[in-house]
Each structure stands twice: as structure tokens, then as C-alpha cells.
Amino acid sequence: MKPNTTQPDSLPVPGDTALAHLRALVQHIARQIAAAGGWLPFDRYMELALYTPGLGYYSGGSVKFGRGPDDGSDFITAPELSPLFAQTFAKPVAEILGATGTRHVVEFGAGTGKFAAGLLRTLDALGVGCARYTIVELSGELRARQRECIAETAPQFAPCVQWVDALPERVDGVIVGNEVLDAMPVRLFARQDGLWHERGVAVADASRFVFADRPLATAAVPAALAYVPGRHDYVTETHEAAAAFVRTVCSTLGRGAALFVDYGFPAAEYYHSQRTQGTLMCHYRHRAHGDPFLYPGLQDITAHVQFSAIEQAAHDAGAHLLGYTSQARFLMNAGITDSLAQLDPADPARFLPAANAVQKLLSEAEMGELFKVIAFCRGMDVALGAFERGDRSHML
Ligand SMILES: C[S@@+](CC[C@H](N)C(=O)[O-])C[C@H]1O[C@@H](n2cnc3c(N)ncnc32)[C@H](O)[C@@H]1O
């Protein structure tokens, strides 16, 4: 869940060890900028800040996911918020496994492992036990956390879990990713005086990065920017890495489906005339701010997902759309309120935190509306109950 925006100068200051880590990454990125002639496109900067081995935010050792700043974390995701998220998600996953006759689940970027553990337990309870659970995880530190979480909370399923660096060549089964697409590098563009520029990164002095804009020839302006109305000054993103990722994922689907959950909008809403500052956002200690150069390697950098581009990418890979809807609608269709109703309200220690978390997952003011679920299938078809009411595929 993403907190409200704050001013960078009101953020907590990292400790000495963290600052040493930051400095090492800054030097590494500065060398890359120098080697590229003094300018890197923003997507390359974002990739280096998040994924440089050993130093990037997701490849280094920071806590990342958690309940609040006191545990050293920066943000909380739905699987961390409540076990009811994975539990509810298991129902559509079970429907797909049933329709394909397969028992393989692949999860991208599995966080702390809570989603995997919850999914494995619920699939088993639903009678469609998962024979193989593959986690595609780039971070060694996160793999260790996931292994520990599964060993502690779902030990009977640990033998069927395997970790890989890259997607298997063919997947028959279900592919899932919660908040993975928003963590993929985006390109930045700025329209000034009616002309599009690519916004990149340069070094202003030894340790400070700055935005640097380069004018774009008309032929080089990405097609997605045709959605941006008017001629007024405007900053936004395009999502080539996420689209390429979804193309690859969908083309590996032999018989099965892929489901992604993330915050974002279809193109017409994403490139709305009034969204003049784009959606790029950073998270540090549960505060959101807009400066991607503040704490490289220590803060998350993210952008909303442009779901029309994601749908087009899946289509290009021969997959077809199973559904697109809000997280609230998806979870309600899949029965999250029924699961909550099974808890005893006379047991407030269990019931109240669960009810509070479900409210956050479903509320329009929190995650319910901003977050969407999109699903694709290939080599099979299935009508998922989770898209039965409130499907918004026509908006993509
Ligand atoms: C915001 S975190 C979400 C983690 C987890 N799914 C959750 O909901 O708590 C994004 C994750 O996506 C992972 N990720 C991004 N690109 C990836 C890729 N190409 N393959 C696998 N994981 C990727 C990142 O490493 C990171 O762990």
C-alpha cells in the first residue's frame, strides 16, 4: 500500500552503513553515466538503482516490505497486509489449474514468501494441491527470507518449491505477480513548449544526479504519447520493460494463464490531460516522495502500470485477455468477504485486524480502486469467477 506523498527534506536520514551502501551505488551509477557520454535514459538509471547486483534496492539487503518504519521497511504490500489476500487469490488459481489439468504455479518477485505460503496452503485445502511452485527471484537475500517463511508457515509444501533466476522456457499452469510490473524500469518524457524530450540522468557534481532532457525527433516519440492531449507542459512515463516482460511471460505460456496485480490505469486515464507530473514515486520508511536521486539503493522507485500497454503486449504474444478489474471487485468476486465472515467477531484479537486489513484491500480510498488485476491465458480458456462482475476489459 502506498503512503501519501511527503517532502524529501522531512524524511528520516539513513544511518552510516546505509549511507556507505548508497555512496557505493552512486559511484557505480556515476561511472555508468560517464561511460555513456554523460547521459543515461531514466529507465537505465532506474534499473541500476533497483537491480545492480549487491547494491540495488531490490538486490541489496534492505528490509523493504513490512508493517511500518519501526521495522526498517519502506512499504507494505497486500500479501503482507493479510493472509486473506493469498487465500482469496487461491480460488482463481485453483480454477485455472483445474481447467488446464496442471499443477504448476510460477510466482515472480515473491517478496517475503507470505503469498507463496498462503497460496500453497489454500490450494491444498481446496483439493488442487500444487505439485511444483517456482519462484523467479533475482535477490539472494529475498530468496533466503522466502525459504525461511515457507519452512516456518507451510513446511509440508517446502519440497515442491524451487527458486530460479529466469522464467522456464515453457509454463503449463499459472503465473502470478503481485506488484512486480510497477517495479520495472520506465522511460521518462517531458513535453516542453509542445515538444517532447526524453528525460534522462546526468551528474551535476561528484555525488549529485540531475534530470537532463534531450529533444526527440518526431519519429522517435513513443506511440503511447499520442494519448497525451493538448500541447501543455507534461511529464510522463512509457513502460517498455514491463511490456517486454509480459510479452516474454505470455509467450512461455503453453497451456495456462498469467495474473498480475498492480496499481495503474488504462492508457486514456494514465495519459489524462491533468496528470501533468506523471506517476513516478519513491518510498522510504513508509513515506512517498518524488525524488529518485535522494537515496539510490535505499529507496524504492516505482511508476504506475499502464494496463493498455500490458494488454497489447500479451496480445502480441498470442495470449488473450481473461479479465481486467479493480482489486476490490476481483477479491469480492473471489469471496474475500465470505472468508472474513468465517472468523469469529467474538474473538476481537483475530477478527479486528483481519477486518481492518480487508477494509484496506477493498476500500476505494486505499487499495481497492487504484490496484487492478489483469489476467491472460494461452492454449486454454476459462471463465474466472473473479471477473464475473465488474469486468473492465472494455476500458483497455
Ligand atoms: C514491490 S516488490 C513486490 C514483492 C511481492 N510480490 C509482494 O507483493 O510483496 C517487486 C518485486 O518484483 C521483483 N521483480 C522485478 N522485476 C522482476 C523480474 N524481471 N523477475 C523477477 N522479479 C522481478 C523485484 O525484485 C521485487 O522483489
Side-chain angles (χ1 to χ4, degrees):
M1 197 170 67
K2 304 301 174 182
N4 292 329
T5 313
T6 194
Q7 289 302 318
D9 56 11
S10 69
L11 289 167
V13 177
D16 290 346
T17 312
L19 286 174
H21 178 108
L22 175 152
R23 278 192 285 272
L25 181 61
V26 165
Q27 280 171 13
H28 175 72
I29 296 175
R31 280 196 296 274
Q32 304 293 313
I33 293 175
W39 185 90
L40 277 182
F42 186 79
D43 57 344
R44 180 67 182 135
Y45 170 83
M46 184 165 165
E47 186 186 353
L48 290 166
L50 296 182
Y51 301 110
T52 296
L55 291 175
Y57 179 73
Y58 282 113
S59 330
S62 66
V63 175
K64 298 176 265 290
F65 327 98
R67 295 210 151 255
D70 292 347
D71 61 20
S73 63
D74 302 309
F75 56 89
I76 186 162
T77 59
E80 299 298 309
L81 200 56
S82 169
L84 290 177
F85 181 77
Q87 209 172 302
T88 308
F89 216 89
K91 290 176 198 157
V93 169
E95 283 179 62
I96 299 163
L97 292 178
T100 59
T102 63
R103 292 288 179 271
H104 187 195
V105 176
V106 178
E107 182 181 358
F108 277 93
T112 62
K114 281 188 185 154
F115 184 74
L119 210 54
L120 284 162
R121 284 194 306 264
T122 314
L123 286 173
D124 187 59
L126 292 171
V128 277
C130 169
R132 191 150 54 107
Y133 198 100
T134 303
I135 295 180
V136 187
E137 179 59 70
L138 312 172
S139 153
E141 185 261 337
L142 285 177
R143 282 185 187 203
R145 277 164 79 178
Q146 292 154 13
R147 204 182 293 277
E148 198 178 322
C149 170
I150 291 165
E152 275 173 16
T153 62
Q156 64 278 41
F157 306 112
C160 77
V161 184
Q162 58 171 4
W163 282 262
V164 296
D165 295 322
L167 188 62
E169 269 177 28
R170 175 182 165 128
V171 176
D172 294 318
V174 183
I175 297 175
V176 291
N178 185 63
E179 288 202 40
V180 170
L181 300 178
D182 73 78
M184 304 217 164
V186 289
R187 289 173 77 193
L188 285 189
F189 295 91
R191 186 171 64 189
Q192 292 145 10
D193 301 324
L195 291 177
W196 282 109
H197 297 66
E198 176 146 17
R199 177 156 284 188
V201 182
V203 182
D205 57 46
S207 59
R208 202 165 55 89
F209 298 126
V210 288
F211 283 127
D213 296 343
R214 288 188 163 179
L216 280 177
T218 309
V221 175
L225 298 184
Y227 280 100
V228 181
R231 285 178 58 81
H232 53 295
D233 287 0
Y234 197 95
V235 175
T236 192
E237 308 88 27
T238 62
H239 305 75
E240 286 77 359
F245 169 82
V246 168
R247 259 193 305 276
T248 306
V249 165
C250 287
S251 60
T252 64
L253 272 177
R255 195 169 73 257
L259 294 96
F260 297 103
V261 187
D262 229 308
Y263 39 93
F265 318 102
E269 202 180 337
Y270 198 101
Y271 296 119
H272 190 279
S273 158
Q274 289 169 5
R275 201 183 306 285
T276 56
Q277 298 305 310
T279 71
L280 192 77
M281 195 57 66
C282 306
H283 299 104
Y284 183 72
R285 300 292 185 266
H286 295 261
R287 313 242 192 117
H289 68 88
D291 183 356
F293 307 135
L294 185 68
Y295 294 150
L298 306 182
Q299 65 183 14
D300 187 26
I301 308 175
T302 165
H304 286 38
V305 174
Q306 202 267 75
F307 282 104
S308 305
I310 297 305
E311 196 275 326
Q312 182 62 52
H315 178 83
D316 292 346
H320 88 253
L321 185 65
L322 276 175
Y324 167 72
T325 192
S326 67
Q327 173 173 292
R329 184 53 76 177
F330 183 88
L331 293 176
M332 284 194 293
N333 286 343
I336 196 167
T337 47
D338 300 335
S339 304
L340 181 64
Q342 282 167 15
L343 299 180
D344 181 3
D347 177 2
R350 279 193 73 208
F351 184 79
L352 289 180
N356 192 16
V358 168
Q359 198 270 339
K360 285 197 167 88
L361 292 171
L362 300 184
S363 157
E364 274 194 16
E366 307 228 28
M367 300 173 80
E369 174 56 30
L370 180 60
F371 281 69
K372 313 291 189 314
V373 185
I374 195 164
F376 307 102
C377 67
R378 196 160 176 262
M380 53 90 66
D381 204 0
V382 60
L384 291 181
F387 291 117
E388 207 170 79
R389 288 177 297 279
D391 183 37
R392 300 184 190 176
S393 296
H394 60 282
M395 295 176 78
L396 290 168

